[in-house]
Amino acid sequence: MPGQKPPADSWGTIRRFLPYLWPDGRTDLKARIIGALLIVLMAKGVVLTMPLAMKEAIDSMTGANDGAREAVTLVAIGFVLAYVGARFLSVGFDNLRNVVFERVGQDATRALAEDVFARLHRLSLRFHLSRRTGEVTKTIERGTKTIDSMLYFLLFNIAPTVIELTAVAIIFYTLFGWELVAATAFTVVLYIFITRWITEWRVKLRAEMNQLDGTALSRAVDSLLNYETVKYFGAEEREQDRYSTATTEYQQAAIKSENSLGLLNVVQSLITNALMAGAMAFAVWEWSKGRLTVGDLTAINMYLMQLFRPLDMLGWVYRSIRQGLVDMAEMFRLIDTEVEVRDVPGAPALVARPPTVVFDNVVFGYEPDRTILHGLSFEVPAGSRTAIVGPSGAGKSTIGRLLFRFYDPQQGRILIAGQDIAQVQQASLRAAIGIVPQDSVLFNDTIGYNIAYGHPHELGGASTADVIAAARDAAILPFIEALPDGFETQVGERGLKLSGGEKQRVAIARTLLKNPPIMLFDEATSALDSRTEQAILATLDRVAQDRTALAIAHRLSTIADADDILVLNEGRLEERGTHAELLRRDGLYAEMWARQQTEDQPQDVAAQ
């Protein structure tokens, strides 16, 4: 169920990933699983014959007298060769099994990783603003890496171990008597009980260690992403202390986890070696009575050693499964996170013609006790250029987020071309709107890639001519052509190798290439110098023709020629009109205009 948190100590988490092991419509993968299981059975059959071959070789050698030694030698050599052949077949079957199953494990890992990635992109902006990127990526990494090992453990360790235990019990009962079967069964039960008890304790330590690991990673990522801010405030030592605190706590948790593993290994070794000592002493005692042979002693030793190997693996497998459940449960919680904004069933695609925008009595707040927009209503006619201004905190940027449907309003409707955007497909809605944000974030790739990103990929991507034309319209082409690598220049993480103005112009070019019917400019020229700003404004005026343009602005001079200006104050529409009309009213807009003119005058004098 969506939103349900699967407990890490239940098999519910295992059932969640079984469909990835046995995917519908993939008969090829199912055939590989069945083939791998058959190979496992053949490998176990071969392994179980090895001690018997060695027993017969030793018995034939110890029981032969001097006259029959030559004839017995050939028999012993035959059994030795059979033993060596069984060893080789065991290794061959194990590797053949891995070859057959590898595609299944990798396919399951890929499918799960893709599902988680797609789910994260469907989650709301609220989720991504409340989670640390480092923690999310670490959760996905641990969860997806776990599924391959979980599949391997369940199919090739637990099931074969049960088969081997059963077969060894039958062989022991047939050849050596019920006493050895009883001792082995008691030891195995005790081994499993102790392993489970200590592992449950270790799982809690593992969960704590994972949490502290995620905290340390998130602090490192957050600090490095804000590298410039750290330098501005000389906070390198402070960041080092925060990271050191997190890593120290993780170190202490890791030490506890490793020490507990050492304790578990010692206890397991004590149990298995106690069984070995008792069984070997029993075999020697029976030999002294003439009921067992030297070959029987060797066979018992070899069977127990073969049994200890999967038992040791069983302990490790159980620890890995329990620890893997913790990792996978966290990842499935990401998958189960409620999608706040979703398409209604059967939602049609948006037809943005004519591209009118209407806010109808919209009430919205990011938190229930903090309302941002209070019954906001306005209409933007198709083909017009409308500006939205107001003091900080008035709700200007919130309008853009609602228009893109990153959130749904608590009350009211938002209409485009007369269609409620909550009733249409989100993909078609966002395809109809282009945005140039105030803080333009670029991918860690080339300038050409970032500009071409604006072209719909399903249409074949942007041509080189399209990218060049968009760069020219955004007044960044001369800058790009002057670079040694041109459009192949790497911009760095989040575009940090470019200046603020250069990033802004790349973002403008990207939006121009998208060519949507509705354009949203959220402080689109805030990072540009006056000369470039005028060139960009002229470009924006030109591309806004025959489109609906919304410009969220702080500098009123950039929107003075808008067809309509909406003045927001505390989430309400306080004034509306053209620049001249609003100045004549001598209200909030006139006050903001006068203040900005006063602030700009000293800057003009200084520039002179």
Side-chain angles (χ1 to χ4, degrees):
M1 295 294 292
Q4 183 179 0
K5 293 184 178 181
D9 58 349
S10 77
W11 292 101
T13 303
I14 295 179
R15 291 194 298 269
R16 288 293 301 275
F17 80 80
L18 287 181
Y20 296 96
L21 170 64
W22 196 261
D24 293 335
R26 293 299 304 272
T27 55
D28 59 325
L29 297 181
K30 295 177 181 179
R32 284 178 173 272
I33 294 172
I34 295 173
L37 291 176
L38 291 176
I39 294 172
V40 168
L41 293 177
M42 289 188 289
K44 284 301 175 187
V46 169
V47 167
L48 291 170
T49 64
M50 290 166 53
L52 296 177
M54 185 59 69
K55 161 185 158 53
E56 295 299 329
I58 293 175
D59 283 344
S60 62
M61 293 170 63
T62 56
N65 54 39
D66 292 340
R69 182 165 298 180
E70 183 176 347
V72 170
T73 298
L74 295 177
V75 175
I77 290 176
F79 282 119
V80 169
L81 292 177
Y83 169 77
V84 174
R87 282 178 56 89
F88 173 75
L89 287 176
S90 172
V91 174
F93 280 138
D94 284 345
N95 285 274
L96 180 61
R97 173 204 66 196
N98 292 339
V99 169
V100 171
F101 185 76
E102 183 63 25
R103 182 176 295 274
V104 178
Q106 292 296 333
D107 191 85
T109 302
R110 175 196 56 78
L112 180 58
E114 290 178 359
D115 285 352
V116 177
F117 185 77
R119 182 71 173 191
L120 288 174
H121 273 292
R122 288 198 300 270
L123 296 179
S124 68
L125 182 62
R126 191 190 310 274
F127 169 85
H128 289 281
L129 292 178
S130 63
R131 293 294 295 263
R132 293 180 180 269
T133 303
E135 290 178 346
V136 172
T137 54
K138 195 70 172 180
T139 298
I140 297 174
E141 177 188 2
R142 284 196 295 253
T144 52
K145 284 184 176 180
T146 297
I147 187 171
D148 189 32
S149 58
M150 293 279 278
L151 294 174
Y152 186 89
F153 292 153
L154 288 175
L155 291 176
F156 306 139
N157 288 104
I158 293 180
T161 298
V162 173
I163 295 173
E164 186 164 358
L165 284 171
T166 304
V168 169
I170 295 173
I171 293 172
F172 275 9
Y173 180 77
T174 303
L175 298 180
F176 312 121
W178 65 268
E179 297 91 348
L180 197 55
V181 175
T184 303
F186 173 78
T187 302
V188 169
V189 171
L190 179 63
Y191 184 98
I192 293 175
F193 174 79
I194 294 295
T195 298
R196 184 179 185 279
W197 180 60
I198 297 180
T199 301
E200 292 295 334
W201 169 49
R202 295 196 69 243
V203 165
K204 297 177 182 178
L205 297 178
R206 170 76 176 193
E208 179 185 0
M209 191 172 68
N210 283 349
Q211 180 183 1
L212 294 173
D213 186 26
T215 300
L217 179 65
S218 65
R219 287 186 180 177
V221 172
D222 196 32
S223 180
L224 293 175
L225 288 178
N226 291 279
Y227 170 83
E228 294 184 36
T229 304
V230 174
K231 292 296 184 181
Y232 291 153
F233 293 94
E236 293 91 343
E237 186 175 349
R238 186 192 318 167
E239 291 298 313
Q240 178 65 32
D241 290 341
R242 291 181 73 241
Y243 182 68
S244 177
T245 299
T247 53
T248 300
E249 292 175 349
Y250 171 77
Q251 176 192 34
Q252 294 172 350
I255 290 173
K256 290 181 182 178
S257 180
E258 289 302 315
N259 289 345
S260 66
L261 176 60
L263 173 63
L264 178 59
N265 290 335
V266 169
V267 173
Q268 288 175 332
S269 179
L270 177 63
I271 294 173
T272 55
N273 281 283
L275 173 62
M276 176 71 79
M280 298 290 286
F282 170 78
V284 172
W285 176 260
E286 291 294 294
W287 169 81
S288 70
K289 301 295 183 181
R291 290 191 285 266
L292 292 180
T293 66
V294 176
D296 290 327
L297 174 66
T298 303
I300 291 173
N301 176 269
M302 292 183 66
Y303 273 122
L304 288 179
M305 290 183 65
Q306 288 181 182
L307 187 62
F308 292 161
R309 191 177 303 115
L311 274 180
D312 288 340
M313 289 292 293
L314 184 64
W316 178 62
V317 166
Y318 182 77
R319 293 194 304 269
S320 299
I321 288 178
R322 289 292 291 113
Q323 293 168 1
L325 285 172
V326 174
D327 298 335
M328 293 187 67
E330 286 297 323
M331 184 183 60
F332 282 127
R333 284 172 191 153
L334 287 179
I335 295 178
D336 291 338
T337 302
E338 187 69 34
V339 178
E340 181 180 342
V341 179
R342 61 174 71 238
D343 288 341
V344 297
L350 174 69
V351 180
R353 297 295 178 190
T356 58
V357 177
V358 174
F359 272 58
D360 181 15
N361 195 32
V362 172
V363 176
F364 174 76
Y366 296 104
E367 302 297 336
D369 57 347
R370 181 170 171 256
T371 302
I372 304 297
L373 302 180
H374 303 267
L376 182 63
S377 296
F378 63 84
E379 178 177 358
V380 179
S384 66
R385 185 183 177 207
T386 300
I388 302 174
V389 301
S392 297
K396 303 186 296 297
S397 295
T398 299
I399 290 176
R401 289 176 171 178
L402 290 175
L403 190 61
F404 268 92
R405 208 184 166 208
F406 290 155
Y407 304 92
D408 282 331
Q410 279 86 41
Q411 296 179 32
R413 301 182 304 164
I414 302 173
L415 308 175
I416 292 181
Q419 301 160 77
D420 188 343
I421 65 172
Q423 304 300 318
V424 300
Q425 297 173 9
Q426 296 178 64
S428 64
L429 166 67
R430 290 163 189 157
I433 308 173
I435 183 171
V436 180
Q438 179 179 6
D439 182 17
S440 298
V441 178
L442 305 181
F443 291 96
N444 189 3
D445 209 300
T446 65
I447 291 178
Y449 173 84
N450 278 279
I451 294 177
Y453 198 83
H455 195 280
H457 183 70
E458 59 271 15
L459 298 181
S463 66
T464 302
D466 293 334
V467 173
I468 293 175
R472 181 183 297 108
D473 290 340
I476 196 175
L477 184 59
F479 165 76
I480 297 174
E481 291 177 336
L483 296 172
D485 295 327
F487 283 95
E488 295 302 312
T489 301
Q490 294 287 329
V491 303
E493 188 169 8
R494 298 173 65 87
L496 293 179
K497 291 184 178 180
L498 302 181
S499 70
E502 291 159 358
K503 285 197 301 182
Q504 201 78 330
R505 283 179 285 173
V506 170
I508 292 172
R510 181 168 59 188
T511 303
L512 293 177
L513 192 60
K514 184 178 181 181
N515 195 27
I518 300 173
M519 302 281 281
L520 176 63
F521 306 108
D522 187 358
E523 300 282 3
T525 61
S526 60
L528 305 180
D529 58 83
S530 299
R531 181 178 178 181
T532 305
E533 179 184 61
Q534 295 304 314
I536 293 297
L537 287 175
T539 301
L540 295 182
D541 287 340
R542 183 173 68 255
V543 301
Q545 294 177 4
D546 302 325
R547 292 183 175 89
T548 302
L550 274 170
I552 298 172
H554 172 71
R555 281 188 283 184
L556 303 184
S557 58
T558 63
I559 49 88
D561 59 343
D563 300 326
D564 197 13
I565 300 175
L566 310 178
V567 184
L568 299 188
N569 188 25
E570 297 183 353
R572 296 179 174 85
L573 183 59
E574 184 159 317
E575 297 176 341
R576 180 173 190 172
T578 64
H579 174 71
E581 292 171 347
L582 292 173
L583 288 180
R584 285 195 296 269
R585 291 184 186 176
D586 198 23
L588 177 60
Y589 181 86
E591 177 186 341
M592 294 169 59
W593 176 264
R595 185 181 300 113
Q596 289 191 13
Q597 294 301 305
T598 302
E599 293 172 353
D600 289 343
Q601 285 178 1
Q603 297 177 4
D604 295 339
V605 172
Q608 295 174 359

